[in-house]
Amino acid sequence: MNDKDMVNDILCMTKAGTGEYTKAIGEACNQNLRQTLQEIRNGDEQFQFELFQLAEQKNFYTPAQAAKHEDIQAIKNQLTQA
C-alpha cells in the first residue's frame, strides 16, 4: 500500500469513527461518559484535520473548488427560512 492510499484509508476510518462517537454521545445519558466521548471525538477530528492538511500538501487530495459567496448566502437563506 502506498502513502497516498494509507492516508486516504486512515482519513476514511477516522471520519467513520467520529460519526460513531457522535451517535454514542447523543445516546449517552451519563455525563462523564458523554464528556469522555466528546473529548475522544474532538481529538479524532483534530487528527483528521492535520492528516488532511498533510494529504493536501503532498497532493494526495485536491479539495473541491471553494463555493461562491452568493451560493453560500442563498443556501443560508433557504435554511433559515422556516
Side-chain angles (χ1 to χ4, degrees), residues 6 11 18 20 22 24-25 35 38 40 42 59 65 67-68 71 79:
M6 284 190 286
L11 282 170
T18 56
E20 294 303 316
T22 299
I25 291 164
Q35 184 176 351
Q38 288 170 334
I40 294 169
N42 292 347
N59 294 317
Q65 186 177 17
K68 296 176 186 171
D71 295 337
L79 295 174

Side-chain angles (χ1 to χ4, degrees), residues 7-8 19 25 27 31-32 42 48 55 60-61 63 68-69 75 79-81:
V7 168
N8 285 327
I25 291 164
E27 296 174 2
Q31 186 57 37
N32 289 333
N42 292 347
Q48 182 184 18
F60 292 167
Y61 178 83
K68 296 176 186 171
H69 177 73
I75 291 172
L79 295 174
T80 55
Q81 293 175 352

Side-chain angles (χ1 to χ4, degrees), residues 10-45:
I10 294 167
L11 282 170
C12 287
M13 289 187 304
T14 305
K15 182 178 179 181
T18 56
E20 294 303 316
Y21 283 123
T22 299
K23 289 178 193 174
I25 291 164
E27 296 174 2
C29 54
N30 179 288
Q31 186 57 37
N32 289 333
L33 176 59
R34 287 177 61 89
Q35 184 176 351
T36 299
L37 292 171
Q38 288 170 334
E39 290 169 5
I40 294 169
R41 183 201 56 202
N42 292 347
D44 282 359
E45 287 174 344

